[in-house]
Amino acid sequence: MSASMTLEIPTSGWYVLGNARLHASLTPGLDGPLDRDGFATVDIAVADGKVTGIASRGARPPPPRATDLAGRIVLPCFIDCHTHIDKGHIWQRMPNPDGSFMGALDAVDADRLVRWNADDLARRMEFSLRCAYVHGTSALRTHLDSVAPQEGISWPVFEQVRESWRGRIALQAASLVGIERVRETAWFDRLAARVATANGILGAVTYMVPDLETLLDRIFRTAAERGLDLDFHADETDDTSAVSLRLIAEAALRHRFEGKILVGHCCALARQPDREVRQTLDKVAAAGISVVSLPMCNLYLQDRRQDRTTPRWRGVTLVHEMRVRGIPVAIASDNTRDPFHAYGDLDMLEVHRMATRILHLDHPIGDWPKAATATPAAIMGIEGGTVSVGGTADLVIFKGRSWTELLSRPESDRIVLRAGKAIERVLPDYAELDGLMG
Ligand SMILES: [Zn+2]
């Protein structure tokens, strides 16, 4: 038996997590009365690393071999579909001088050129993944800065890291380049080939350059030819003339693109006139595009004013308007302790807690618990993100018994079960990175 927060979780054989709260949106076919947050009280049977049964608690006596969770919330392990673990944790040696977007771009460029060798990348990625794992994340997509010659360094490191983390965190990577790099046809084609070799995702940051539609056509054509999914950073600005989300949707429809498309940020949408927003979102829905909001990074960078006056808007996109149209919406960590976001620890509970406050993912809670679990799993095309009979018992047990209890404390003493067994949860010490910060 392993002792964690007074609960004894068996380490072998079968057992039951009794009197647990599961959210209706995360458990297909859940029956039984729901509380006002949408949770049902159930017994979860676990055997051989899998969930083998979910039974409504009702008035039944406790089953044998049951650990009484006393109504605590159990969530599936988190799925973090938009991160930058190649940039992570460089803050100490390369801070953002003024907290602005341009400050972030310049600082990361300077750091990458000088410091991002294979050893530096591997050690920082490892640190990030250890944090994510301890917090209960089971799958993660990272963008990889792929501007030449970095793609030749970062992709091989990523492939090694992905292999060494297999079974703990399922990893995906997307290439990240400014859209203007796509003009270099031959180089971009070589990058796409490298991405395909690594089973990666083709990505770019869109800006409102005059030839944006031509460049998008090239990206969509290349992705279709190589069978790659797409992942964009779009409209991460308050500039209302930034409409690349709409242009991406139009390109997807024009190309009848059959792969998956994820678009991150889309901040400018929140500043545009309602009629324009409706037209854009109708196209996004028709094109089958998913959106990921990065609320912590947006809050940090957006509306940071040169005169150091107080920010006037949250910087996030229109997630509720998207959900009304059936557009899948995820939330994710984005940058962690780098010039784009000075804070963070790849803790998706923190992301969910912040997102709930910033984006009003409550009243009602509805199916928003999917935004950090089931929705990103579907976006990444992987198993997980639900608590289902037959599924792997990758679960997080919290102390909170209601949404307000869950999202009011850090829940640092949560229990993370991987394949039914509690993992050791020790966060890496920042001092481990000191040797890279000189
Ligand atoms: Zn990002």
Side-chain angles (χ1 to χ4, degrees):
M1 307 286 262
S2 73
S4 333
M5 79 178 192
T6 74
L7 289 179
E8 295 287 326
I9 308 292
T11 55
S12 63
W14 68 276
Y15 64 89
V16 173
L17 298 171
N19 207 1
R21 269 197 175 77
L22 285 186
H23 200 265
S25 69
L26 299 177
T27 308
L30 187 67
D31 61 356
L34 302 181
D35 66 19
R36 66 180 165 196
D37 293 340
F39 290 99
T41 308
V42 299
D43 297 324
I44 307 167
V46 176
D48 298 324
K50 293 195 179 300
V51 173
T52 53
I54 299 170
S56 181
R57 180 83 174 150
R60 290 187 297 109
R65 287 178 73 86
T67 299
D68 185 4
L69 297 192
R72 288 169 175 150
I73 290 169
V74 175
L75 294 180
C77 277
F78 297 114
I79 314 287
D80 202 345
C81 69
H82 183 129
T83 71
H84 296 263
I85 62 172
D86 58 343
K87 293 188 176 81
H89 299 285
I90 62 172
W91 183 271
Q92 199 62 36
R93 69 187 188 205
M94 188 55 75
N96 185 327
D98 58 3
S100 71
F101 194 88
M102 283 315 294
L105 275 180
D106 292 345
V108 165
D109 277 351
D111 195 72
R112 184 178 56 239
L113 278 168
V114 181
R115 308 296 292 264
W116 292 21
N117 58 38
D119 177 60
D120 177 66
L121 283 163
R123 287 169 64 185
R124 289 187 293 99
M125 286 183 179
E126 183 76 17
F127 189 95
S128 288
L129 292 169
R130 284 163 67 196
C131 300
Y133 183 68
V134 163
H135 293 308
T137 289
S138 62
L140 177 146
R141 177 182 293 181
T142 183
H143 294 262
L144 295 178
D145 277 24
S146 295
V147 57
Q150 191 62 47
E151 78 279 29
I153 305 168
S154 293
W155 282 86
V157 170
F158 169 77
E159 287 171 307
Q160 286 168 14
V161 169
R162 177 173 57 187
E163 192 53 40
S164 74
W165 276 83
R166 197 175 294 281
R168 291 179 291 164
I169 298 181
L171 286 168
Q172 294 184 350
S175 56
L176 184 67
V177 295
I179 187 85
E180 69 280 1
R181 304 281 174 181
V182 180
R183 290 182 192 133
E184 300 158 41
T185 318
W187 175 81
F188 181 66
D189 207 54
R190 283 201 302 280
L191 175 64
R194 184 66 187 88
V195 170
T197 304
N199 255 322
I201 293 119
L202 195 61
V205 189
T206 53
Y207 302 108
M208 295 308 294
V209 291
D211 54 345
L212 178 55
E213 287 181 282
T214 307
L215 298 174
L216 285 173
D217 279 339
R218 186 169 297 156
I219 292 175
F220 274 87
R221 216 178 306 119
T222 305
E225 281 166 9
R226 297 189 180 275
L228 297 169
D229 291 338
L230 290 168
D231 193 327
F232 294 97
H233 282 68
D235 308 329
E236 191 177 353
T237 171
D238 63 352
D239 179 354
T240 54
S241 70
V243 294
S244 56
L245 175 62
R246 176 170 62 78
L247 297 182
I248 290 167
E250 288 172 356
L253 293 167
R254 188 161 66 239
H255 287 262
R256 296 188 173 82
F257 188 71
E258 289 179 355
K260 290 178 185 290
I261 306 167
L262 178 60
V263 184
H265 294 292
C266 313
C267 310
L269 194 69
R271 310 286 269 180
Q272 289 160 353
D274 285 348
R275 217 171 74 97
E276 214 175 297
V277 167
R278 281 195 296 273
Q279 288 169 351
T280 295
L281 291 185
D282 287 347
K283 287 175 179 170
V284 169
I289 290 172
S290 302
V291 172
V292 58
S293 181
L294 298 313
M296 300 202 311
C297 193
N298 293 157
L299 204 62
Y300 179 79
L301 283 179
Q302 298 301 307
D303 209 21
R304 192 175 287 271
R305 294 163 173 247
Q306 290 309 308
D307 56 2
R308 301 180 58 82
T309 50
T310 310
R312 312 284 167 86
W313 78 304
R314 288 161 154 85
V316 289
T317 193
L318 301 180
V319 298
H320 294 285
E321 290 80 347
M322 291 170 179
R323 289 301 294 133
V324 164
R325 285 170 173 77
I327 298 166
V329 176
I331 52 174
S333 292
D334 209 6
N335 299 75
T336 303
R337 299 188 62 247
D338 69 35
F340 285 89
H341 180 220
Y343 314 107
D345 203 36
L346 297 179
D347 178 1
M348 286 296 282
L349 184 70
E350 183 193 14
V351 174
H352 208 139
R353 183 167 62 236
M354 294 287 282
T356 300
R357 288 150 166 77
I358 299 165
L359 290 157
H360 290 176
L361 307 184
D362 49 15
H363 312 296
I365 292 162
D367 67 357
W368 283 114
K370 290 166 71 174
T373 51
T375 301
I379 287 169
M380 289 173 66
I382 58 173
E383 301 281 314
T386 63
V387 183
S388 315
V389 174
T392 305
D394 289 340
L395 307 171
V396 190
I397 304 171
F398 297 95
K399 279 203 172 151
R401 299 161 302 170
S402 60
W403 212 238
T404 172
E405 289 183 0
L406 179 71
L407 296 188
S408 294
R409 287 183 178 167
E411 292 269 6
S412 305
D413 49 0
R414 71 193 77 163
I415 295 172
V416 176
L417 303 182
R418 298 303 305 274
K421 289 183 183 162
I423 64 165
E424 205 181 336
R425 296 189 59 248
V426 182
L427 287 168
D429 197 304
Y430 289 129
E432 292 181 30
L433 296 171
D434 287 352
L436 299 176
M437 295 301 127

